[in-house]
Amino acid sequence: MAQEVGGEAEVMLMNHELQECSPKVSFPRLGWVNCEFAMDWCKKSATVGAAWLVRDSRGWIQEHSRRSFSSISSVLDAKLAVFLWVIESMTSLKKNKVVFVSDFQDMVDAVLHPIHWPALQFQASELRVALQDLEVWNLQVVVRGSLRGVSFITQSVNNLGLWQSYVVAGHPRWLDLLFVDERAPSL
């Protein structure tokens, strides 16, 4: 049964790519968007701060969102909840060509190579089902330091008690300098 699941996943993933772990986020191709996402899990309170942001091919932030999750008892449960929320958000926003950018190496590997990750079979299956709602997608794994902007947003949940969820156009104004510096130079 595991070989059948692995074989089906390999066929399903033929049109999708994995961009190996890189030190920094690269901007997507024209017509695509990057969806950078991160989380901040607090074991003591079992809460998770999560955020995503969508960049166009010039590095401009189109939208971003923040959310909190409660009663999350493990980092693995936190990653699954956040990743599913991010995919659902991109589907709701009608993003058709999405590069998901995170530091969730284990989850990405489990989605792309389920036969090598039997302990994450449930999580990988849930993510693959959610990804089917998108036209085309890629997964990019980067080092956490490359996700500074979205990480600052996630930390605002647990560190500052900002529990209210939202989706808004552009980037948070309190991070203006960070995001303006990250954009590609105008031609």
Side-chain angles (χ1 to χ4, degrees):
M1 187 166 110
Q3 289 173 341
E4 286 178 25
V5 169
E8 289 171 11
E10 293 298 325
V11 169
M12 184 187 91
L13 298 170
M14 285 174 29
N15 293 328
H16 308 289
E17 303 170 6
L18 167 64
Q19 297 174 9
E20 290 299 324
C21 191
S22 62
K24 68 180 242 175
V25 178
S26 57
F27 298 139
R29 299 178 288 232
L30 193 59
W32 286 70
V33 296
N34 271 8
C35 178
E36 300 171 23
F37 64 98
M39 66 173 213
D40 178 48
W41 177 59
C42 179
K43 182 177 182 176
K44 183 177 178 182
S45 63
T47 58
V48 177
W52 55 256
L53 58 87
V54 174
R55 289 184 193 265
D56 65 16
S57 60
R58 295 179 306 159
W60 289 78
I61 308 296
Q62 294 179 341
E63 300 96 8
H64 82 277
S65 181
R66 178 184 70 209
R67 176 173 176 184
S68 62
F69 293 86
S70 59
S71 302
I72 304 288
S73 59
S74 75
V75 71
L76 196 57
D77 290 345
K79 286 181 179 182
L80 179 61
V82 169
F83 209 157
L84 288 171
W85 167 66
V86 170
I87 295 167
E88 178 186 339
S89 297
M90 294 305 101
T91 302
S92 295
L93 290 170
K94 308 263 187 265
K95 303 297 181 187
N96 294 316
K97 297 178 178 178
V98 182
V99 179
F100 292 96
V101 182
S102 72
D103 66 342
F104 289 17
Q105 181 78 56
D106 53 353
M107 290 291 191
V108 168
D109 287 346
V111 168
L112 296 176
H113 309 289
I115 200 158
H116 301 295
W117 290 83
L120 299 181
Q121 180 180 2
F122 171 76
Q123 291 83 355
S125 175
E126 292 290 307
L127 292 169
R128 283 193 305 273
V129 167
L131 287 165
Q132 288 176 357
D133 291 334
L134 298 167
E135 181 182 327
V136 185
W137 51 268
N138 291 336
L139 304 175
Q140 181 182 10
V141 177
V142 296
V143 294
R144 181 141 181 109
S146 299
L147 301 169
R148 285 183 39 202
V150 75
S151 292
F152 286 145
I153 301 167
T154 65
Q155 292 167 14
S156 71
V157 174
N158 286 323
N159 293 347
L160 302 175
L162 301 176
W163 307 108
Q164 185 174 357
S165 300
Y166 65 83
V167 178
V168 68
H171 62 270
R173 296 296 161 226
W174 56 278
L175 292 173
D176 260 350
L177 292 176
L178 175 70
F179 287 118
V180 169
D181 286 345
E182 289 182 346
R183 287 193 296 241
S186 298
L187 298 177

